[in-house]
Amino acid sequence: PLHVISVQPTDKPTKASFAKNIVAITPPSATGQYGVKYTIDNDAGGTSSSFVRVTVDQQAPLAYSIVAEGSSFFSSSTGADG
């Protein structure tokens, strides 16, 4: 299995945390693009990192959270596209 071992926002206003392989991202309410770098590992000692980009647009219609089957990542910010 894969395990989230770290998350780090790529900008100061974005907040991110993880617990039990679930990553929570809270972007600021200001329009813009914000990012988070996350790192995972596996039981064999391998690691990999990637980025999540969140676009905040005050004119965007409200959207529901998007979660892919088997995914540990979610976005729940109103007006944000994750």
Side-chain angles (χ1 to χ4, degrees), residues 19-43:
K20 298 182 181 181
N21 285 334
I22 295 175
V23 174
I25 301 170
T26 306
S29 59
T31 298
Q33 293 189 348
Y34 306 95
V36 172
K37 177 183 175 185
Y38 65 92
T39 302
I40 59 173
D41 73 358
N42 62 25
D43 292 339

Side-chain angles (χ1 to χ4, degrees), residues 10-77:
T10 58
D11 51 75
K12 289 187 179 192
T14 302
K15 305 294 182 215
S17 61
F18 72 97
K20 298 182 181 181
N21 285 334
I22 295 175
V23 174
I25 301 170
T26 306
S29 59
T31 298
Q33 293 189 348
Y34 306 95
V36 172
K37 177 183 175 185
Y38 65 92
T39 302
I40 59 173
D41 73 358
N42 62 25
D43 292 339
T47 63
S48 183
S49 295
S50 193
F51 294 89
V52 174
R53 183 177 67 191
V54 177
T55 301
V56 176
D57 181 347
Q58 300 301 323
Q59 303 303 314
L62 296 179
Y64 294 99
S65 301
I66 299 170
V67 178
E69 184 176 342
S71 173
S72 296
F73 302 94
F74 66 92
S75 173
S76 61
S77 298

